Amino acid sequence: MSQKLEVADVVAGLKPGMTVFVPGLAGESLAFHEALKAAPDKAAGVRFVGLHFPGINRSDYLGLHPQARQRAYVMTPGLRPGLADGRAELATLDYPGIYRDLAARAVEVDLVIAQVSPPDASGTCSFGPSSDFHPAVWAKAKRRVLHINPNVPRTRGSFSVKLAEVDGWFEADSALVHYDAGSSNPAIEQHAALVASLVRDGDTLEFGVGKLPGAILAALANHRSLRIWSGMVTDAVSKLVDAGAIAAKGAIDAGVALGDAAYYARLERDDSYFFRPVSETHDIRRIAAIDNFCAINSAVEVDLFGQVNADSLNGKLMAGVGGLPAFVAGAQLSNGGRSIVALPAATDDGRFTRIVSRFNNGLVALPRHAADYVVTEHGIAELRGRDLRGRAEALIAVAAPAFRAQLAAEWDEILRKL
């Protein structure tokens, strides 16, 4: 029988040896984390598991107590000390792999904390702007507790829960995790226009979050009959709806939405959106079955073989590969599909090229066959169908001009050693 609780009661029930699933991104219960901070001793010996993203989720579960533990899937600043002292586990998986890991019997879950909307007349609660990983752990969790938050919008989606079917629930009026990509500038907008030129009316799009992805979406305002199938979406998508670029009702399928309070409120009344778990959004077979699927993703570096580093800097892991491999693989199997990688040609200060001859310290997120197009602010490198030399020449042509001669010389040296 579902029991009404206080959030302090939930924290008081934690015991050493328990594994607690704490959703990340917009699904994170900030009220639960605040209650943990008020009683940090209850985190001793508890293992927290979930996907928390750097720059979006700022709650530090390992920092609650010297004996707290965490199983994570992307690198975050708070995770590094735990990796050094053995309190943290980092499973370097892509999104489908994370979902399978959470669903596996080997990862026992004693308690799920799920942030939901208030129940409707039938007692059904919506997971609002975050449906990504909840179903992976829901059925197997020993105890399921809802955080009923009036700020969570009632969204349309393939997964919901009845209040009567959970073990307990607490009410807390708490802010949702907010996300602001920051402002664009003329250089980013010029870059975005080049990427947008590769998108055709009627395409189905996937993209990441950040200044450049936001600018790319803004550059698509005059396109028509677009659809979205993506892991994450932001308010930039709603601007496309308002511009008439998005096809129709239910044309936006996503796992998570990220934005501010006004954007989250809009999700309740905008029937363009439909939320799905990772088992659906990142299913390569589903993606491949969508004609003209266009995967648009960012990168840290691309080398002259076409390999993509998406999450490391000078060999230091900064995040994880996320949904990138699944969306790219699906796009390449899609009839009319394309994989586009967009990145600035150089670092912000202009000192280092981001088109490099070959990786020395970078971790490969995509192999050399995976990117069809690489786009910098200097142009579009079409890699599909080109031979080894042709691919390198196309990439050098879109590198920052100051580095092109150096890259050409390094490539000649690489060829002599192949």
Side-chain angles (χ1 to χ4, degrees):
M1 181 176 177
S2 185
Q3 180 183 10
K4 184 176 181 180
L5 305 164
E6 298 295 329
V7 63
D9 299 332
V10 182
V11 171
L14 299 181
K15 299 288 189 293
M18 291 179 67
T19 294
V20 180
F21 176 73
V22 280
L25 298 169
E28 183 182 11
S29 170
L30 298 180
F32 178 70
H33 187 263
E34 285 299 312
L36 277 168
K37 286 170 63 178
D41 286 350
K42 298 305 296 182
V46 175
R47 181 173 72 156
F48 299 95
V49 61
L51 178 78
H52 300 89
F53 229 82
I56 298 174
N57 299 111
R58 295 175 173 82
S59 300
D60 181 7
Y61 290 90
L62 274 182
L64 291 166
H65 192 277
Q67 294 173 5
R69 305 184 65 83
Q70 187 171 357
R71 182 172 179 82
Y73 300 99
V74 299
M75 179 63 78
T76 60
L79 197 66
R80 293 188 191 280
L83 289 174
D85 64 20
R87 292 186 299 126
E89 314 159 40
L90 179 60
T92 54
L93 303 168
D94 67 352
Y95 261 46
I98 296 168
Y99 194 94
R100 289 192 299 269
D101 186 69
L102 287 169
R105 291 182 180 178
V107 180
E108 293 187 359
V109 176
D110 297 288
L111 172 66
V112 171
I113 302 295
Q115 182 173 245
V116 298
S117 72
D120 63 12
S122 70
T124 301
C125 300
S126 165
F127 286 86
S130 182
S131 292
D132 49 359
F133 292 104
H134 295 85
V137 299
W138 200 253
K140 74 174 189 178
K142 296 174 184 175
R143 191 161 183 254
R144 293 164 292 178
V145 171
L146 302 182
H147 167 194
I148 296 177
N149 188 344
N151 297 304
V152 174
R154 179 172 302 285
T155 59
R156 288 142 293 278
S158 61
F159 185 64
S160 60
V161 62
K162 294 278 190 181
L163 183 61
E165 296 173 353
V166 301
D167 299 287
W169 52 277
F170 64 88
E171 294 177 306
D173 186 336
S174 173
L176 305 188
V177 170
H178 284 190
Y179 175 75
D180 182 358
S183 57
S184 184
N185 60 50
I188 292 175
E189 289 162 8
Q190 175 185 331
H191 191 176
L194 287 170
V195 178
S197 72
L198 296 172
V199 176
R200 301 185 289 254
D201 287 351
D203 280 350
T204 295
L205 309 180
E206 176 272 329
F207 43 84
V209 297
K211 290 182 182 179
L212 181 55
I216 292 167
L217 291 173
L220 295 169
N222 292 324
H223 282 61
R224 288 296 177 265
S225 300
L226 298 175
R227 301 186 70 89
I228 307 295
W229 184 280
S230 193
M232 301 182 197
V233 292
T234 65
D235 188 40
V237 172
S238 289
K239 291 180 172 64
L240 283 184
V241 173
D242 296 340
I246 297 292
K249 175 181 176 180
I252 303 167
D253 291 277
V256 171
L258 291 162
D260 59 15
Y263 178 49
Y264 293 138
R266 175 180 176 145
L267 296 176
E268 184 152 339
R269 62 181 186 272
D270 191 337
D271 62 8
S272 302
Y273 289 86
F274 192 87
F275 289 88
R276 302 177 181 272
V278 165
S279 57
E280 297 178 30
T281 55
H282 292 69
D283 183 340
I284 294 173
R285 294 159 295 192
R286 288 185 184 230
I287 298 166
I290 301 171
D291 289 347
N292 303 307
F293 189 89
C294 189
I296 304 172
N297 291 282
S298 301
V300 177
E301 298 173 311
V302 175
D303 77 3
L304 295 181
F305 290 94
Q307 298 180 113
V308 176
N309 162 24
D311 65 331
S312 67
L313 190 61
N314 296 323
K316 188 175 184 179
L317 190 61
M318 305 304 293
V321 298
L324 177 64
F327 285 121
V328 168
Q332 293 195 312
L333 291 170
S334 161
N335 180 31
R338 282 141 288 146
S339 165
I340 301 168
V341 173
L343 76 165
T347 54
D348 290 344
D349 59 11
R351 293 178 57 202
F352 301 100
T353 179
R354 292 175 64 172
I355 303 292
V356 299
S357 57
R358 69 188 313 166
F359 292 148
N360 293 318
N361 296 314
L363 300 175
V364 174
L366 289 179
R368 59 186 181 270
H369 65 268
D372 296 322
Y373 298 91
V374 173
V375 184
T376 74
E377 67 272 30
H378 297 291
I380 300 169
E382 185 174 356
L383 305 186
R384 182 185 286 185
R386 290 182 181 266
D387 66 7
L388 197 66
R389 185 184 295 275
R391 291 162 66 89
E393 289 173 350
L395 287 163
I396 291 169
V398 301
F403 296 100
R404 290 176 188 170
Q406 174 190 338
L407 287 168
E410 290 172 353
W411 179 246
D412 286 343
E413 181 65 22
I414 288 170
L415 283 179
R416 284 194 289 271
K417 294 179 178 179
L418 285 180

